Amino acid sequence: VITGSVITADESRAEVDNALCTTRAIRRRLDLDRSVDHTLIHEALTVAAQAPSGGASEPVRWLVVTDAATRLAVGRTYREAYMELDQSRAAPSGESAGQVTRVRDSSRYLAEVMGRVPVQVVVCTTEAAPICSTGPEAAKFYGSVYPATWSFQVALRTRGLGSCLTTIGLRRQDLIAEVLGIPAGWTQCALLPVAHIVGSDLSAARRRPLEQVVTWV
Ligand SMILES: Cc1cc2nc3c(=O)[nH]c(=O)nc-3n(C[C@H](O)[C@H](O)[C@H](O)COP(=O)(O)O)c2cc1C
């Protein structure tokens, strides 16, 4: 009950669906000039801690980077990793070229400003990455990290904060580990820029039609 009104099951479902459908990869709309109250990050991490993990092992560790010099160092490393990738990949072609170009432009922008976002969150796991990249071990390893990461992003979203899951920086994960003093044996899985979102109009994205991706057996 909130101020005398009752939230119905339909309203509650609509709110959850809306949060899930409008948690976008926010890059250009990260507000670089507005600081983020640490309480909001703490609340979102509390929500994320409820995510599932294989064997209830809870291996996720979060490094919340707010120190300006450290953010700059992480940002510089991320940009180098991005430039290395960008120079090595072919120009987009075919039907999806326009969409790929848009995502790349947006990703390049993020690489330029990563050091200026008010908060960076590095998501780690205490486990070593599996030697075999397929099969149940790999599934358990990554599947124990990304649900919590997504929960964190959705919880940020409902608090007016934007984020973007990035993995390109993992090309330079040793340097990032050195900057942040990440314990040996932990594995980095993502770097998230976090900031207030400029504007409030976020909508659901266009995705492949369900008929293309769902098989009922
Ligand atoms: C596993 C994974 C890795 C990603 N890595 C990066 C990255 O390194 N840099 C980046 O700018 N975006 C990265 N993204 C964000 C995707 O580009 C984004 O989720 C996708 O374009 C869909 O965005 P939308 O939900 O706003 O439509 C990554 C997303 C996922 C799920």
Side-chain angles (χ1 to χ4, degrees):
V1 179
I2 296 175
T3 58
S5 67
V6 175
I7 296 178
T8 66
D10 281 351
E11 284 166 349
S12 172
R13 184 169 53 232
E15 278 184 19
V16 173
D17 287 354
N18 183 59
L20 288 168
C21 291
T22 62
T23 301
R24 301 264 70 80
I26 305 293
R27 303 185 186 91
R28 293 187 193 277
R29 291 174 61 180
L30 293 168
D31 192 335
L32 304 177
D33 301 316
R34 184 171 167 195
S35 62
V36 172
D37 182 346
H38 294 185
T39 313
L40 297 176
I41 303 285
H42 189 268
E43 285 176 9
L45 289 172
T46 305
V47 173
Q50 294 295 320
S53 58
S57 52
E58 298 184 51
V60 179
R61 299 293 180 271
W62 312 88
L63 280 95
V64 183
V65 188
T66 57
D67 174 70
T70 312
R71 278 184 286 126
L72 269 181
V74 170
R76 199 177 310 122
T77 306
Y78 183 82
R79 189 171 63 241
E80 285 166 12
Y82 181 85
M83 297 313 281
E84 180 186 84
L85 171 71
D86 209 27
Q87 281 155 17
S88 69
R89 58 189 176 187
S93 59
E95 246 179 52
S96 59
Q99 165 69 0
V100 174
T101 301
R102 271 192 298 282
V103 173
R104 284 191 188 176
D105 287 349
S106 171
S107 300
R108 190 174 303 114
Y109 168 82
L110 176 61
E112 292 298 334
V113 302
M114 183 63 94
R116 291 170 50 205
V117 294
V119 179
Q120 298 162 340
V121 176
V122 176
V123 189
C124 297
T125 158
T126 54
E127 290 170 13
I131 294 162
C132 183
S133 60
T134 58
E137 270 187 46
K140 182 184 173 196
F141 177 81
Y142 290 108
S144 295
V145 177
Y146 291 126
T149 307
W150 177 244
S151 292
F152 178 55
Q153 292 187 269
V154 177
L156 289 172
R157 159 81 185 106
T158 60
R159 288 162 176 77
L161 297 168
S163 66
C164 177
L165 193 163
T166 75
T167 50
I168 291 171
L170 298 178
R171 289 170 161 258
R172 294 272 199 285
Q173 59 179 300
D174 291 352
L175 283 174
I176 293 180
E178 205 178 303
V179 169
L180 299 178
I182 293 175
W186 287 18
T187 309
Q188 286 168 61
C189 295
L191 163 64
L192 279 71
V194 177
H196 282 276
I197 302 172
V198 176
S200 56
D201 53 321
L202 288 174
S203 50
R206 188 128 62 91
R207 299 293 199 226
R208 288 178 203 276
L210 277 193
E211 313 81 83
Q212 282 183 16
V213 297
V214 179
T215 307
W216 293 70
V217 180

